[in-house]
């Protein structure tokens, strides 16, 4: 179905970002950024509503039809991820406005944040592989600039590591795009799906799928390619780190789902085995890493890696039940990560240190913060009655049902990682919130405006438990749609065969050259 709606969540933050580059006063820039982000969220909700009946919306740039022109597409999965990213953007900008930082704002923090939103939305809504690369580059430029704003030694060191790793992954993606075009003659997702469906399982196509899986695994910070993540996120400003942690790794996971389910469904067995192994290792690495740290955001950064491992586990199992559980876990992971990083921002400011130790008794001083943290810790660990338990139970059940030796090993890793994560997060509770407060250590006041986003985000995490049923229903429908390649192909390319327009010849060629026919 032709529609301009998939373009709107991309163009809106881009336009607002350009306006924020103008020499305007701070209240006007802040108002523009907030209005643009809220409108982006509303447009994403419109996308979710428009694709709820199974429609695939297509925007053709310049009137060129797919696969010859650039198209933006929105199906259930794209709209779902777009809405989660927009919601995270609203919270990140809310905290950014509340925690005013004149130095970073003077260096265009608002504009860079809007350009980051543009890249994220383009990643979820693009309809071809090359523009996915472009979206990664837009995200990389904006995120690198946000990472080094402030120019502390830690920011520059971690920012350098971040950009080197991402540039290496981007170079590999360009090579993968070239090889894919050389092998299949197209980069459009729907056309790639059609070509791979016609060819059936082929060694060369499987090799391409493995190569792309490697690139997206590095973007998603799967072990051992995610070594850059635990150092980078704690070096960022709090608002940026909350958005980075909640969404940027999910872009890599989205690309994995798109490539392995929509595009190379017939050649996905080998990549899925690799993904299952990487997911099992990442779950354990994230949990053990969280246990080894003593700073708020370093602990949480490792839990982000662990959550990506659970998603890779679900996608790697390759069954409909596992994919449905993974899609539910995406929403849980995004919201709980967002809430925990906002809670960490408040806790660091109230305690006056990034360390979780040497500050006790905050359960009496800030009981609402303590309650919000405990809820989110139980959700990350997957204990009932939280939404984390529901999603992890579905993943483990899907793993047992799949039944291969590697799947059973991954199930054991998932359960073990949950126990270790629970121990790590309860250690934070014991060291920071529990016990008798030391009167010699002052409580640094935190404005209510900076605390509110953390509490509202925690409320959404609690709400996920209540709305787990509708979330599973939506995930079930999305899974059915992803496994029906022909529906996506028909929606983007149309019913007829793809016909390459002939080169201009004879009279047409002479007309193009301005000659007389």
């Amino acid at each position: 179905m032709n529609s301009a709606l998939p373009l709107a969540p991309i163009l809106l933050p881009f336009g607002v970002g350009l306006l924020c580059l103008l020499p305007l006063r701070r209240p006007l820039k802040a108002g523009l950024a907030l209005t643009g982000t809220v409108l982006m969220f509303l447009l994403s909700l419109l996308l979710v509503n428009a694709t709820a009946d199974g429609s695939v919306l297509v925007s053709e740039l310049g009137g060129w039809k797919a696969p010859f022109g650039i198209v933006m597409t929105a199906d259930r999965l794209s709209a779902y991820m777009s809405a989660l990213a927009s919601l995270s953007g609203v919270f990140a900008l809310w905290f950014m406005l509340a925690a005013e930082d004149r130095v970073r704002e003077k260096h265009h923090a608002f504009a860079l944040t809007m350009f980051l939103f543009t890249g994220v939305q383009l990643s979820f809504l693009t309809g071809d592989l090359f523009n996915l690369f472009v979206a990664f580059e837009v995200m990389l430029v904006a995120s690198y600039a946000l990472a080094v704003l402030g120019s502390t030694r830690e920011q520059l060191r971690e920012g350098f590591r971040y950009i080197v790793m991402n540039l290496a992954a981007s170079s590999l993606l360009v090579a993968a795009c070239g090889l894919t075009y050389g092998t299949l003659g197209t980069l459009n997702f729907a056309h790639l799906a059609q070509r791979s469906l016609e060819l059936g399982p082929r060694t060369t196509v499987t090799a391409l799928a493995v190569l792309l899986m490697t690139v997206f695994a590095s973007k998603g910070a799967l072990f051992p390619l995610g070594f850059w993540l635990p150092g980078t996120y704690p070096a960022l400003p709090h608002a940026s780190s909350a958005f980075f942690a909640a969404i940027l790794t999910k872009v890599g996971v989205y690309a994995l789902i798109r490539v392995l389910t929509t595009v190379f469904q017939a050649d996905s067995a080998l990549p899925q085995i690799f993904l299952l192994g990487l997911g099992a290792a990442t779950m354990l690495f994230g949990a053990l890493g969280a246990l080894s740290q003593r700073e708020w955001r370093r602990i949480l950064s490792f839990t982000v890696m662990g959550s990506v491992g659970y998603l890779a586990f679900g996608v790697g199992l390759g069954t409909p039940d596992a994919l449905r559980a993974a899609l539910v876990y995406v929403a849980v992971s995004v919201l709980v990560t967002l809430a925990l990083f906002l809670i960490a921002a408040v806790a660091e400011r109230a305690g006056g240190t990034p360390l979780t130790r040497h500050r006790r008794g905050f359960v009496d001083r800030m009981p609402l913060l303590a309650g919000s943290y405990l809820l989110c810790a139980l959700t990350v660990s997957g204990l009932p009655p939280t939404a984390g338990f529901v999603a992890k139970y579905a993943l483990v059940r899907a793993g047992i049902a799949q039944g291969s030796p590697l799947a059973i090993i991954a199930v054991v890793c998932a359960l073990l990682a949950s126990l270790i994560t629970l121990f790590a997060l309860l250690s934070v509770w014991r060291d920071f919130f529990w016990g008798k407060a030391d009167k010699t250590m002052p409580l640094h006041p935190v404005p209510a405006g900076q605390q509110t986003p953390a509490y509202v985000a925690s409320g959404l995490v609690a709400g996920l438990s209540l709305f787990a049923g509708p979330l599973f229903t939506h995930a079930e429908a999305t899974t059915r749609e992803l496994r029906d390649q022909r529906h996506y192909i028909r929606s983007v390319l149309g019913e007829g065969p793809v016909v390459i327009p002939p080169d201009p010849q004879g009279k047409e060629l002479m007309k193009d050259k301005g000659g007389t026919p």
Side-chain angles (χ1 to χ4, degrees), residues 114-168:
M114 300 309 292
F115 293 144
L116 178 62
F117 294 165
T118 304
V120 170
Q121 294 291 341
L122 180 59
S123 302
F124 294 141
L125 296 169
T126 182
D128 69 84
L129 194 58
F130 185 75
N131 277 296
L132 185 61
F133 160 74
V134 173
F136 283 163
E137 294 311 293
V138 173
M139 279 194 301
L140 178 62
V141 171
S143 59
Y144 180 65
L146 284 169
V148 299
L149 271 184
S151 301
T152 65
R153 178 175 293 185
E154 184 187 10
Q155 282 182 306
L156 294 175
R157 184 184 65 243
E158 298 300 337
F160 179 75
R161 185 186 302 180
Y162 172 74
I163 196 168
V164 167
M165 180 62 200
N166 279 280
L167 280 178

Side-chain angles (χ1 to χ4, degrees), residues 180-307:
T180 303
Y181 191 80
T183 305
L184 297 172
T186 182
L187 291 175
N188 180 275
F189 287 147
H191 202 199
L192 282 172
Q194 187 183 55
R195 296 281 295 136
S196 67
L197 198 64
E198 290 168 354
L199 292 172
R202 292 247 176 156
T203 307
T204 50
V205 180
T206 302
L208 287 174
V210 172
L211 182 60
L212 289 170
M213 187 218 70
T214 306
V215 173
F216 299 140
S218 70
K219 295 287 184 184
L222 284 171
F223 179 83
L225 303 170
F227 62 88
W228 51 271
L229 190 150
T232 303
Y233 288 179
L236 293 164
H238 287 293
S240 300
S241 68
F243 184 78
F244 276 45
I247 290 299
L248 291 200
T249 52
K250 308 305 181 296
V251 175
V253 173
Y254 164 80
L256 282 170
I257 295 174
R258 178 64 73 197
V259 167
L260 296 183
T261 59
T262 304
V263 180
F264 296 132
Q265 200 177 106
D267 301 273
S268 61
L270 185 61
Q272 281 172 340
I273 290 172
F274 283 129
L275 199 55
L276 193 52
L278 291 180
T282 307
M283 287 186 280
L284 279 181
F285 181 75
L288 292 172
L291 190 62
S292 69
Q293 299 298 314
R294 295 294 175 265
E295 291 184 16
W296 273 100
R297 287 190 289 169
R298 288 188 183 276
I299 296 169
L300 298 180
S301 296
F302 276 104
T303 64
V304 171
M305 286 191 71
S307 69

Side-chain angles (χ1 to χ4, degrees), residues 276-450:
L276 193 52
L278 291 180
T282 307
M283 287 186 280
L284 279 181
F285 181 75
L288 292 172
L291 190 62
S292 69
Q293 299 298 314
R294 295 294 175 265
E295 291 184 16
W296 273 100
R297 287 190 289 169
R298 288 188 183 276
I299 296 169
L300 298 180
S301 296
F302 276 104
T303 64
V304 171
M305 286 191 71
S307 69
V308 176
Y310 281 94
L311 292 169
F313 166 50
V315 178
L317 285 172
T319 64
D321 286 345
L323 185 57
R324 182 189 62 166
L327 291 174
V328 172
Y329 190 75
V330 167
V332 176
S333 175
V334 166
L335 288 182
V336 78
T337 301
L338 182 70
L340 275 173
F341 270 79
L342 293 174
I343 289 169
V346 176
E348 283 186 16
R349 295 190 178 200
T353 172
L355 294 172
T356 58
R357 287 188 169 180
H358 313 304
R359 294 284 188 278
R360 297 175 68 85
F362 270 79
V363 69
D364 294 327
R365 293 176 167 189
M366 304 183 77
L368 191 54
L369 187 73
S372 299
Y373 174 79
L374 190 59
L375 168 71
C376 292
L378 295 179
T379 304
V380 170
S381 305
L383 289 189
T386 63
F389 168 75
V390 177
K392 283 192 176 179
Y393 174 74
L395 281 171
V396 168
R397 188 175 170 181
I400 294 171
Q402 205 257 25
S404 68
L406 186 56
I408 299 301
I409 292 172
V411 166
V412 174
C413 290
L415 295 174
L416 194 57
S418 288
L419 284 175
I420 298 172
T421 304
L422 177 65
F423 184 74
L425 295 182
L426 287 184
S427 297
V428 175
W429 168 269
R430 181 197 61 205
D431 294 339
F432 189 84
F433 291 104
W434 199 245
K436 189 175 180 180
D438 186 349
K439 298 287 178 63
T440 61
M441 298 213 176
L443 172 66
H444 298 268
V446 183
Q450 295 180 27

